[in-house]
Amino acid sequence: GENVEQHPSTLSVQEGDSAVIKCTYSDSASNYFPWYKQELGKRPQLIIDIRSNVGEKKDQRIAVTLNKTAKHFSLHITETQPEDSAVYFCAASDNAGKSTFGDGTTLTVKP
Amino acid sequence: NAGVTQTPKFRILKIGQSMTLQCTQDMNHNYMYWYRQDPGMGLKLIYYSVGAGITDKGEVPNGYNVSRSTTEDFPLRLELAAPSQTSVYFCASSLTGGAEKLFFGSGTQLSVL
């Protein structure tokens, strides 16, 4: 089955700095790569996603890049704010919508 | 639309007890999923369903059962609760599976003591 590895497990940045989280996946059949943000005690919420036929996608301060050949994808957050502090999960999904999640990155943005 | 609704929000079970976690969605989604999230970990797929009457195992199905008699409902059954099943359980749905985002319920925090 699919295996997703996510790094780093914790990330601390100063407000205004950039944050980068990286994931690798193993199954070349995976074709959809969402990123979820989970605040303490809450449900995961989608923040951005990318499909396998696209190399990069941007939404305001958030961007995702995908390298299909190397089987890795990354989340980039620019101009970080304290409200960006949360746990971020990457996932790789197949055609049945079954998502395999990474173990998460705890991002702390210090004011 | 309420989205995906899970009940209960919290539950404490004794070892060997049984219970059903309820999940219902009002978005007419075909695909529904059950995930568990252990502390400090990502979500692991327990079971999923691609439509009424069809269910299949995910990564960690042992100790659980599901049914999907209607499009709206996807209950998760624990028959003989064990401490290893202490976790937060999330139900999720998507319209057609594939390259679509998941809509999550608010979760059920289950402790087995």
Side-chain angles (χ1 to χ4, degrees):
Chain A
E2 176 64 277
N3 182 50
V4 175
E5 294 191 357
Q6 182 172 346
H7 299 281
S9 56
T10 60
L11 180 59
S12 181
V13 300
Q14 287 294 137
E15 182 176 0
D17 286 351
S18 295
V20 180
I21 303 170
K22 299 183 178 182
C23 288
T24 60
Y25 64 99
S26 60
D27 190 350
S28 55
S30 290
N31 57 12
Y32 174 62
F33 306 93
W35 286 88
Y36 292 87
K37 176 182 180 183
Q38 187 178 32
E39 296 174 343
L40 191 62
K42 300 290 180 67
R43 74 193 79 188
Q45 301 265 20
L46 181 80
I47 55 170
I48 196 166
D49 56 13
I50 192 166
R51 288 162 176 75
S52 58
N53 58 347
V54 175
E56 186 173 356
K57 183 177 178 180
K58 190 173 181 181
D59 182 4
Q60 300 184 342
R61 297 186 295 108
I62 296 174
V64 57
T65 58
L66 171 66
N67 183 326
K68 278 175 52 180
T69 304
K71 295 194 184 73
H72 65 70
F73 55 113
S74 300
L75 177 71
H76 304 252
I77 306 175
T78 58
E79 300 171 24
T80 53
Q81 301 165 3
E83 51 265 38
D84 293 330
S85 295
V87 180
Y88 291 81
F89 292 97
C90 64
S93 298
D94 64 13
N95 283 330
K98 291 184 296 175
S99 296
T100 300
F101 285 78
D103 285 339
T105 297
T106 301
L107 174 64
T108 303
V109 180
K110 294 180 283 188
Chain B
N1 282 356
V4 180
T5 303
Q6 283 183 244
T7 56
K9 293 193 185 301
F10 304 94
R11 185 72 186 267
I12 299 174
L13 284 181
K14 293 183 179 177
I15 295 171
Q17 285 186 320
S18 301
M19 78 163 296
T20 300
L21 281 65
Q22 301 292 345
C23 176
T24 188
Q25 52 90 8
D26 62 359
M27 298 174 284
N28 205 29
H29 283 178
N30 292 312
Y31 287 67
M32 295 188 75
Y33 311 84
W34 275 105
Y35 286 90
R36 60 177 285 174
Q37 184 177 30
D38 298 332
M41 304 293 286
L43 288 82
K44 304 290 185 190
L45 182 64
I46 305 171
Y47 270 95
Y48 69 104
S49 169
V50 303
I54 305 168
T55 62
D56 208 347
K57 295 177 182 178
E59 255 182 292
V60 290
N62 290 345
Y64 307 95
N65 277 300
V66 294
S67 60
R68 184 97 182 269
S69 56
T70 66
T71 299
E72 295 78 18
D73 299 308
F74 191 41
L76 178 72
R77 178 85 178 157
L78 283 72
E79 288 295 348
L80 291 168
S84 61
Q85 294 177 305
T86 295
S87 191
V88 178
Y89 292 83
F90 286 100
C91 179
S93 72
S94 69
L95 181 59
T96 60
E100 287 201 16
K101 75 172 190 177
L102 297 175
F103 291 80
F104 284 93
S106 57
T108 296
Q109 181 144 4
L110 176 67
S111 295
V112 182
L113 306 175

